[in-house]
Amino acid sequence: MRKTWLLYCLQLLLRMNFVSLKQSNKPNFVLIMVDDMGIGDLGCYGNKTLRTPNIDQLAQEGVKLTHHIAAASLCTPSRAAFLTGRYPIRSGLASHGMTGVFIFNAASGGLPQEEVTFANIVKRQGYETALIGKWHLGLNCKNSTDHCHHPSTHGFKYFFGIPLTNLRDCSPNNGTVFMIHKFLPYRTLAVILASALALHFSGLLRLHRKFTLTLLTLLLMFAAAILLFIQIVPYLNCVLMKDHRIIEQPYRSENLTQAMTRDAVTFMERNAERPFLLFFSLLQVHTAMFASAAFRGTSQHGIYGDAVHEVDWSVGQITQTLTRLQLAGNTLVYLTSDQGAHLEEISASGEVHRGWNGIYKGGKSTNWEGGIRVPGIVRWPGTIAGGREVDEPTSNMDLFPTVVRLSGAALPEDREIDGRDMMDLLQGNVERSDHEFLFHYCNAFLNAVRWKPRNSSSVWKAFYFTPNFHPEDGTSCAHTHVCFCTPHFVTFHSPPLLFDLSRDPSEKTPLTPATQPNFHSILAVMQEAAERHQRSVKPVESQLSAANIMWRPLLQPCCSTFSQLCQCQSWTDS
């Protein structure tokens, strides 16, 4: 009996050692996503006026992707594509209306539970998984605590961050994210009222007193409702959570990057002996702009530049921790932005808070290169040779198959995966990207197609429609604060606008049959690819429909009673 027990213990010990050895061979993943940072904001991508030494060093030690594309130009769909490796139209995270992201915590839409993220898969492979920072893919379905869209539902065992996004309402004196004054016809109403009163007192128009009082009362009630709404939005949307618990509402953003960086360091220290995946999703440099005291005033580009400096510091803390823990050689580090810089971003006082997209046209919310061509840096010492640039088309969707296969798992076979494993390209085993075509959606509408023929160095891009820029600005949608995709806000092109990005990366001069002899045949190939792609898209429920993005009181996360305006300040970042 004793020999049997000893034999059992020996077998168990050997099995544990085998599992430990097997796990130690699995690489760690640190995936860093900055919010709304332009490709031109980094020194390694050509910026001469902002200091980003830590990110620049990351690029020197790894591979810099210079043709890296976000699958969408807005936060919610871009992040859905990143996590699932699929175009957001496939998961219902592509809107048919004007609003292309979630704007309330108390909305019922979100990343469907049927979708599989890389966190779901690596968790089953024995990884510790964490999301620290911004989520923006939904929270609740039927009540305020069901958390059906919470990061934990999608494979993240630990969550510290915000379920929505960093709104201008979350910082004092920044105005409202809804920019109501941009859409309400104040001047028109004022002219109508003034004209009516002038006609009334001149005797040409008789206004009954009861009608006049009723109209004024309704206008005052409407104005009061808007003011009340603006006042309570911070209490509804500015929520900081740890796992499933609200720890601050409304949150104070100033030192959040510091706190989240410390938490990321702690997570890596805690899991240094086992494989882990950390998705570090920074709140900066999205509106409302903020920077901690140590970084305010450090740049010549105002609070936006200060925030970029803080992001670079944070990246440095992450990489230094990996070195200190002797994990750098076994960790794939990836850094990107979810889309291009928001060119229309200004403060309530009119201060410009825009980033820089380098030579590329347009910005966030457009499929011009400035809206979707983003930084892409991958470092893995000893596995990926450093100091290289790759100019082949790659996508943020490519992280899904890359991470899944490196974790030892197989890709799901029951769904379309649009990303492509990048390892051969990153290691220099192949020279060409697996992406012959990439499709660019403006919300749920197919907006443009990118094609790099197998036997050519050209990269063709065709636009079916383009946003109507502000007539005086000519480079952004300053009149609506963000570019929209619905017919009233765009211009359709027949034939499509065609560019050769290999010769005209700034998209300055559309090609014509006179300047490109193969104009019609190129467009025909791209149209055929677009139709083939669209046939592969199965109808699903829109998670960004009007019903799924509207505010619902029963879904409102609240750390206190509504009578206390959902306030709690129990957490400290000290």
Side-chain angles (χ1 to χ4, degrees):
M1 183 72 179
R2 187 174 179 182
K3 288 183 178 179
T4 304
W5 175 249
L6 288 173
L7 182 61
Y8 171 77
C9 290
L10 181 60
Q11 289 175 338
L12 181 62
L13 183 62
L14 289 172
R15 190 179 306 154
M16 289 174 62
N17 286 337
F18 174 75
V19 170
S20 177
L21 179 63
K22 189 176 179 180
Q23 285 190 341
S24 68
N25 291 330
K26 292 179 180 291
N28 304 310
F29 303 101
V30 174
L31 312 176
I32 304 171
M33 181 172 281
V34 190
D35 200 353
D36 286 9
M37 185 172 67
I39 192 171
D41 288 331
L42 300 176
C44 54
Y45 283 94
N47 195 295
K48 305 296 184 185
T49 58
L50 286 171
R51 299 186 303 278
T52 55
N54 294 299
I55 297 175
D56 298 346
Q57 181 177 353
L58 194 70
Q60 290 170 6
E61 296 172 352
V63 172
K64 182 175 70 173
L65 304 172
T66 57
H67 200 132
H68 196 49
I69 306 299
S73 60
L74 288 172
C75 305
T76 293
S78 176
R79 289 161 184 272
F82 169 68
L83 288 167
T84 63
R86 288 155 52 84
Y87 288 108
I89 189 75
R90 299 193 191 278
S91 56
L93 284 161
S95 170
H96 287 85
M98 290 174 60
T99 305
V101 299
F102 294 112
I103 54 176
F104 292 112
N105 276 315
S108 59
L111 185 62
Q113 295 181 12
E114 296 77 20
E115 289 296 319
V116 177
T117 71
F118 51 64
N120 287 128
I121 294 177
V122 303
K123 179 182 173 183
R124 293 195 292 267
Q125 293 294 108
Y127 277 71
E128 292 298 316
T129 56
L131 167 59
I132 296 175
K134 169 177 169 174
W135 175 237
H136 210 182
L137 289 169
L139 185 59
N140 298 316
C141 291
K142 296 181 179 179
N143 62 62
S144 62
T145 58
D146 67 26
H147 293 177
C148 66
H149 299 305
H150 188 276
S152 63
T153 304
H154 294 288
F156 292 102
K157 297 170 70 173
Y158 176 73
F159 172 55
F160 172 47
I162 61 174
L164 195 61
T165 187
N166 183 41
L167 302 173
R168 56 172 57 233
D169 306 86
C170 298
S171 291
N173 305 317
N174 259 285
T176 173
V177 70
F178 299 99
M179 298 293 287
I180 293 171
H181 67 279
K182 291 274 186 181
F183 304 102
L184 290 179
Y186 290 117
R187 294 179 181 176
T188 303
L189 288 172
V191 169
I192 292 172
L193 287 172
S195 300
L197 288 172
L199 290 170
H200 173 75
F201 286 115
S202 67
L204 296 175
L205 178 68
R206 189 69 179 170
L207 294 176
H208 294 288
R209 182 179 179 184
K210 186 175 182 181
F211 171 80
T212 305
L213 289 174
T214 301
L215 181 62
L216 288 172
T217 301
L218 288 173
L219 287 173
L220 287 172
M221 290 175 63
F222 182 60
I226 290 175
L227 288 172
L228 178 62
F229 176 76
I230 291 172
Q231 290 297 316
I232 66 172
V233 161
Y235 300 97
L236 304 180
N237 280 342
C238 305
V239 173
L240 180 65
M241 300 182 73
K242 181 162 284 192
D243 292 327
H244 290 270
R245 183 171 62 93
I246 297 174
I247 58 175
E248 191 169 43
Q249 187 178 8
Y251 63 74
R252 297 158 293 174
S253 60
E254 181 183 5
N255 293 319
L256 269 183
T257 297
Q258 306 276 320
M260 290 176 176
T261 302
R262 290 196 298 270
D263 208 49
V265 168
T266 299
F267 172 79
M268 291 186 291
E269 291 173 338
R270 189 169 62 243
N271 295 288
E273 301 300 324
R274 67 191 79 177
F276 63 81
L277 180 145
L278 168 63
F279 177 22
F280 190 46
S281 178
L282 286 144
L283 276 58
Q284 293 166 313
V285 289
H286 189 283
T287 183
M289 296 297 163
F290 69 91
S292 61
F295 294 93
R296 285 199 298 270
T298 61
S299 84
Q300 55 184 285
H301 297 288
I303 190 68
Y304 184 92
D306 299 346
V308 172
H309 284 175
E310 187 161 19
V311 164
D312 183 74
W313 166 85
S314 179
V315 171
Q317 296 298 298
I318 299 294
T319 55
Q320 290 163 27
T321 298
L322 290 172
T323 300
R324 173 170 56 84
L325 297 175
Q326 299 183 342
L327 296 174
N330 194 40
T331 302
L332 183 149
V333 178
Y334 166 74
L335 181 138
T336 192
S337 176
D338 54 357
Q339 62 261 328
H342 188 183
L343 300 184
E344 298 86 358
E345 183 51 44
I346 59 172
S347 70
S349 61
E351 183 182 357
V352 176
H353 284 165
R354 69 178 63 181
W356 187 43
N357 293 316
I359 65 171
Y360 302 111
K361 183 176 182 176
K364 176 180 178 175
S365 79
T366 81
N367 281 312
W368 295 110
E369 290 297 279
I372 53 176
R373 194 178 291 216
V374 293
I377 299 170
V378 185
R379 188 196 76 171
W380 189 358
T383 302
I384 297 173
R388 295 176 56 241
E389 289 189 10
V390 172
D391 195 41
E392 288 289 297
T394 54
S395 168
N396 67 340
M397 297 184 293
D398 296 343
L399 268 295
F400 178 90
T402 304
V403 167
V404 167
R405 285 176 173 160
L406 287 173
S407 74
L411 291 177
E413 297 181 354
D414 61 343
R415 64 197 63 214
E416 291 278 351
I417 301 297
D418 300 298
R420 300 289 183 265
D421 187 340
M422 292 192 294
M423 280 305 293
D424 280 340
L425 190 64
L426 294 171
Q427 291 180 312
N429 299 329
V430 297
E431 294 183 356
R432 306 283 299 202
S433 167
D434 278 346
H435 289 292
E436 183 177 1
F437 296 97
L438 283 169
F439 304 98
H440 308 299
Y441 282 84
C442 190
N443 289 357
F445 310 104
L446 184 60
N447 183 194
V449 178
R450 181 183 312 254
W451 176 35
K452 183 166 186 182
R454 298 295 185 191
N455 59 350
S456 171
S457 60
S458 292
V459 181
W460 307 106
K461 185 176 175 187
F463 277 100
Y464 299 116
F465 62 87
T466 51
N468 297 331
F469 285 155
H470 190 282
E472 296 179 7
D473 180 275
T475 61
S476 69
C477 298
H479 54 309
T480 53
H481 188 65
V482 70
C483 294
F484 295 116
C485 307
T486 46
H488 180 69
F489 297 95
V490 303
T491 297
F492 292 91
H493 303 288
S494 182
L497 295 184
L498 180 65
F499 298 90
D500 182 355
L501 298 178
S502 64
R503 298 172 181 266
D504 182 18
S506 301
E507 297 168 296
K508 291 181 178 179
T509 309
L511 299 171
T512 66
T515 58
Q516 173 47 249
N518 298 323
F519 181 85
H520 292 293
S521 61
I522 292 168
L523 287 177
V525 172
M526 298 174 83
Q527 179 61 29
E528 182 182 355
E531 292 172 358
R532 187 167 59 248
H533 159 71
Q534 289 186 299
R535 287 194 296 270
S536 77
V537 177
K538 299 177 181 178
V540 294
E541 179 189 357
S542 173
Q543 298 296 318
L544 290 164
S545 65
N548 280 332
I549 66 171
M550 68 181 292
W551 180 74
R552 299 189 181 190
L554 293 178
L555 303 187
Q556 178 59 48
C558 194
C559 62
S560 63
T561 63
F562 270 109
S563 62
Q564 296 175 306
L565 276 179
C566 299
Q567 293 185 76
C568 63
Q569 300 291 338
S570 60
W571 176 76
T572 176
D573 60 0
S574 60

